[in-house]
Amino acid sequence: MPSNFEFLEKDFSILANFGKMAEKYCYSDSNSCLMKLGMIGETIVNLIFAYDRIPLPYENTAAIKIDILYREGQIDKDLCDILHALRKARNKAVHENYSSVSDAKTLMQMAYSLCEWFMQAYGDWTYE
């Protein structure tokens, strides 16, 4: 079955893989889906820090890095909110064994939008 995240394959295969796995697990194992979606967000944050040569903070947590990207104008409020939502869902899935098909479906759409933005900003600027 084709994946909605295939457009990432050439430039960001790791993100494509996380997206494909999240889609695969959405209904059968939403806990794993939430973890994979969280990995998309975390990977994008780490790639932005690397590509833009932003020094890592002393407290190197995902939450702090997301806030730095927002404060420095690297991402807008909507992207900041998406990244925090993905991070929180991943943490809940990992630490509380949380699962929810409804949350997985909603966060899947958010992760897809995030990936589209990332492709346009850091991959193929002509991508639509």
Side-chain angles (χ1 to χ4, degrees), residues 8 11-16 18 39-54 56 65 69 74 117-119 122:
L8 297 162
D11 295 321
F12 308 107
S13 62
I14 186 74
L15 295 175
F18 285 142
M39 290 304 299
I40 288 173
E42 188 169 335
T43 301
I44 286 176
V45 167
N46 289 333
L47 287 171
I48 294 171
F49 267 80
Y51 291 159
D52 292 339
R53 295 183 174 94
I54 301 169
L56 293 173
K65 289 191 285 191
L69 293 178
Q74 298 295 110
W117 168 82
F118 188 71
M119 174 60 90
Y122 290 89

Side-chain angles (χ1 to χ4, degrees), residues 6 10 18 23 25-26 31 40 46-47 49-50 52 55 65 72-73 78 80 85 95-96 104 107 109 112-114:
E6 282 182 11
K10 179 178 166 267
F18 285 142
E23 288 173 326
Y25 295 138
C26 186
N31 174 269
I40 288 173
N46 289 333
L47 287 171
F49 267 80
D52 292 339
K65 289 191 285 191
E72 297 297 321
D78 290 338
C80 181
H95 299 294
E96 300 173 26
L107 291 167
Q109 293 172 342
Y112 179 82
S113 295
L114 174 67

Side-chain angles (χ1 to χ4, degrees), residues 52-127:
D52 292 339
R53 295 183 174 94
I54 301 169
L56 293 173
Y58 177 74
E59 271 191 82
N60 191 8
T61 67
I64 289 173
K65 289 191 285 191
I66 293 166
D67 290 342
I68 287 171
L69 293 178
Y70 177 64
R71 191 173 51 249
E72 297 297 321
Q74 298 295 110
I75 58 173
D76 64 17
K77 178 77 168 116
D78 290 338
L79 293 171
C80 181
D81 290 345
I82 289 170
L83 288 165
H84 278 303
L86 293 171
R87 175 187 63 78
K88 289 175 183 177
R90 177 177 180 254
N91 285 347
K92 196 171 178 181
V94 170
H95 299 294
E96 300 173 26
N97 199 30
Y98 178 76
S99 61
S100 164
V101 171
S102 175
D103 284 356
K105 287 168 48 178
T106 299
L107 291 167
M108 184 87 64
Q109 293 172 342
M110 294 168 72
Y112 179 82
S113 295
L114 174 67
C115 287
E116 280 192 317
W117 168 82
F118 188 71
M119 174 60 90
Q120 292 168 342
Y122 290 89
D124 181 357
W125 292 356
T126 62
Y127 176 78

Side-chain angles (χ1 to χ4, degrees), residues 3-40:
S3 168
N4 292 308
F5 293 88
E6 282 182 11
F7 71 96
L8 297 162
E9 192 65 49
K10 179 178 166 267
D11 295 321
F12 308 107
S13 62
I14 186 74
L15 295 175
N17 186 51
F18 285 142
K20 289 175 192 177
M21 296 304 289
E23 288 173 326
K24 178 180 177 180
Y25 295 138
C26 186
Y27 294 99
S28 63
D29 184 1
S30 62
N31 174 269
S32 293
C33 175
L34 294 171
M35 286 188 237
K36 297 299 181 190
L37 294 173
M39 290 304 299
I40 288 173

